[in-house]
Amino acid sequence: MNNTTNNTTTALSVVGLGKLGLCLAVCLAERGFDVLGVDIDPHLVDLVNRGIAPWHEPGLADLLARHAGHGFRATTCHADASAHGNMTFVLVPTPSAAEGDFSNRFIASALTSLAQSLTTDHLFVISSTVFPGAIEGALIPLIERASGRRLNEGFDVCYAPDFVALGNCINGFLRPDLVVIGESAPAAGARVESVYRQLCVNQPVLARMSLISAEVAKVSLNTYITMKISFANTLANLCERIPGADVDAITQAIGADRRISPHYFRGGTAFGGTCFPRDVHAFTQLAASRGAQSELIAAIDRVNTHQQDHLAEVVLNASAPGAVIGVIGAAFTSGTPVITESAAVKLIPVLLQNNRRVVAQDALALAALRALFGDQLTYAERIDECLAQCSAGVLTLRSRDLAQAVEQFVPATPLTLIDPWRQLDPTRLHPLIRHAPLGRALSA
Ligand SMILES: NC(=O)c1ccc[n+]([C@@H]2O[C@H](COP(=O)([O-])OP(=O)(O)OC[C@H]3O[C@@H](n4cnc5c(N)ncnc54)[C@H](O)[C@@H]3O)[C@@H](O)[C@H]2O)c1
């Protein structure tokens, strides 16, 4: 089998060239690997082979332009991946299933296609988030059936879950805090470790463990972050009821204690996105399936729903029926066009049901929002264009650029700006603007 050395370029493949897989593929190419990407979408394969980034992700366009045809090429043929080196990263979707666990249908299809075309020993590195127990319970037996081989006798399996966030994928792959590697055999884990040592430009903690431990670790990390976010949101709710209390003063101070840390520790909107809500449900489902209590995790879900309802209540209280509300920021986090379970996506239907009209603005996500809400809303390309139509606005997205643009807006009529993240400097706002931050008592 090939090993990474200073003198050879290791050939490997990445199956699934989506939001994560494409970023991983070009990062591997950037760090000297010879990467073959595989996706079932021929249009996507054609675009990336021409060096064109199919969506916005910071740094992706540059790396793709540099490596398409030079260290990275793509195909729709899984058999080519089985023959291109002897290690394949699999990063296909694993959407939520009805019971709160994850559907294996995409990963089963990809692994079957790969396993049926094996000619030499192969290491499958599953990188998609899987429901704990899925690899040994379902995916390894599937590879054994499709390949006619036995685990560790012709193929090995590792689990290397990704902890990167959309909007920060390239940096997240190149400079992770942590790499978790679940391994079917120590030699397989060592090979994956050597790939990550070459991929990462920093020196992350590399944690090697059993497959099941890695599966639980992945879901646990995301669940823990949502617990931290929910604590900050609970604190923000409390501060709103205590004149003089400021959630940011408190989280910044106590976040300096290393037992807490300042990251993901700011009162704001409810969490959303493609992973956090799904992984919280998965943790709850996992605990229920094993008869373990998970009171804490169930509370995270309730706190998050409350935070969303609270924002809607504040916006409704700040506006009269028939009013036009500006929703600034549609994505679930800044730097991405993805709107899955974003604060805006959950807020807008409540506003519409309560007879408010909505004008939405987002630099990257308007097309996705339009696809979801159609002509129920109006859409503004620019922030001033959006706010000029409104009597109230809400900054659902945390972004310095966005806050600066809002601070420069000169309204013709009074405007209330609801600021869940406290991004606006009230001293910079036009006198016709009433600033309504969450996380502080309004009288403070
Ligand atoms: N998006 C995130 O923020 C994030 C973060 C961490 C982990 N993850 C996990 O990473 C995995 C991938 O997520 P994503 O956001 O990149 O998904 P995505 O939907 O953006 O992309 C998935 C890609 O896989 C392709 N695909 C589907 N079936 C295939 C097959 N049989 N063979 C080859 N290609 C196939 C699709 O065409 C698509 O291009 C998921 O398990 C997800 O939970 C996502």
Side-chain angles (χ1 to χ4, degrees):
M1 291 191 182
N2 288 350
N3 278 321
T4 303
T5 71
N6 290 334
N7 301 322
T8 58
T9 302
T10 304
L12 49 73
S13 51
V14 176
V15 172
L17 298 176
K19 295 181 288 294
L20 258 65
L22 183 58
C23 291
L24 174 62
V26 295
C27 285
L28 286 164
E30 171 75 1
R31 299 293 292 160
F33 293 92
D34 172 13
V35 184
L36 180 69
V38 181
D39 202 286
I40 51 173
D41 179 346
H43 176 64
L44 175 66
V45 165
D46 177 53
L47 274 182
V48 301
N49 275 333
R50 288 191 283 137
I52 300 169
W55 50 78
H56 176 82
E57 177 65 37
L60 172 62
D62 285 350
L63 288 187
L64 194 55
R66 192 177 316 156
H67 295 293
H70 309 278
F72 170 70
R73 72 182 170 84
T75 172
T76 55
C77 178
H78 293 79
D80 289 355
S82 302
H84 188 83
N86 44 32
M87 186 184 298
T88 301
F89 285 78
V90 181
L91 250 172
V92 296
T94 45
S96 285
E99 300 297 317
D101 55 352
F102 304 154
S103 165
N104 284 335
R105 68 181 194 277
F106 295 103
I107 199 163
S109 164
L111 288 172
T112 302
S113 305
L114 291 162
Q116 284 172 342
S117 54
L118 288 188
T119 52
T120 56
D121 281 5
H122 210 80
L123 172 50
F124 296 95
V125 185
I126 295 170
S127 222
S128 296
T129 306
V130 296
F131 193 75
I135 294 181
E136 284 164 303
L139 302 179
I140 288 174
L142 180 150
I143 298 170
E144 288 183 330
R145 283 195 302 276
S147 67
R149 301 173 180 209
R150 300 283 304 275
L151 178 66
N152 302 330
E153 296 171 15
F155 78 91
D156 303 285
V157 174
C158 286
Y159 181 51
D162 296 311
F163 299 108
V164 304
L166 296 184
N168 190 42
C169 284
I170 301 290
N171 186 50
F173 278 123
L174 294 176
R175 294 177 194 79
D177 288 344
L178 163 73
V179 175
V180 167
I181 301 171
E183 56 198 40
S184 64
R191 289 173 58 205
V192 177
E193 177 176 343
S194 79
V195 168
Y196 276 94
R197 289 206 183 281
Q198 184 173 334
L199 168 65
C200 300
V201 299
N202 63 345
Q203 305 279 321
V205 171
L206 279 142
R208 287 174 46 192
M209 58 191 75
S210 67
L211 289 165
I212 185 67
S213 293
E215 290 171 316
V216 177
K218 164 61 186 172
V219 173
S220 301
L221 186 136
N222 278 357
T223 303
Y224 191 93
I225 295 169
T226 64
M227 186 176 77
K228 205 173 165 190
I229 294 169
S230 297
F231 183 87
N233 284 339
T234 299
L235 192 60
N237 293 169
L238 177 64
C239 289
E240 287 165 24
R241 290 165 185 266
I242 305 178
D246 178 343
V247 66
D248 294 325
I250 298 164
T251 54
Q252 280 164 28
I254 68 177
D257 186 314
R258 74 177 64 195
R259 291 170 297 181
I260 296 178
S261 106
H263 307 290
Y264 286 83
F265 196 47
R266 186 180 173 99
T269 58
F271 60 79
T274 49
C275 292
F276 283 163
R278 186 196 61 172
D279 291 354
V280 170
H281 292 148
F283 195 112
T284 310
Q285 171 63 16
L286 176 65
S289 72
R290 303 296 165 122
Q293 67 80 24
S294 59
E295 290 298 313
L296 185 63
I297 316 306
I300 295 171
D301 209 20
R302 291 198 297 274
V303 170
N304 207 45
T305 301
H306 172 271
Q307 193 65 6
Q308 189 63 39
D309 294 346
H310 177 53
L311 178 62
E313 189 183 7
V314 170
V315 178
L316 290 173
N317 285 341
S319 61
V324 181
I325 313 292
V327 174
I328 297 182
F332 81 90
T333 189
S334 59
T336 174
V338 175
I339 61 170
T340 309
E341 298 211 30
S342 72
V345 159
K346 288 186 266 185
L347 174 65
I348 288 168
V350 183
L351 298 181
L352 296 175
Q353 281 154 19
N354 284 276
N355 194 24
R356 301 317 192 259
R357 289 182 291 150
V358 173
V359 189
Q361 195 280 338
D362 190 296
L364 300 171
L366 271 197
L369 205 65
R370 201 179 261 118
L372 188 62
F373 290 107
D375 59 10
Q376 296 180 79
L377 331 177
T378 51
Y379 305 89
E381 295 294 332
R382 296 193 321 273
I383 284 172
D384 57 348
E385 183 195 337
C386 175
L387 292 178
Q389 305 174 52
C390 305
S391 58
V394 52
L395 279 76
T396 39
L397 202 58
R398 189 174 167 209
S399 150
R400 192 59 221 145
D401 289 348
L402 185 152
Q404 274 172 351
V406 171
E407 284 167 357
Q408 285 162 13
F409 178 64
V410 178
T413 53
L415 173 68
T416 299
L417 284 180
I418 295 139
D419 187 5
W421 295 100
R422 298 159 307 284
Q423 303 180 83
L424 299 174
D425 178 348
T427 65
R428 296 187 185 190
L429 294 175
H430 189 276
L432 280 173
I433 294 177
R434 185 175 78 89
H435 184 220
L438 301 193
R440 289 180 207 139
L442 287 180
S443 56

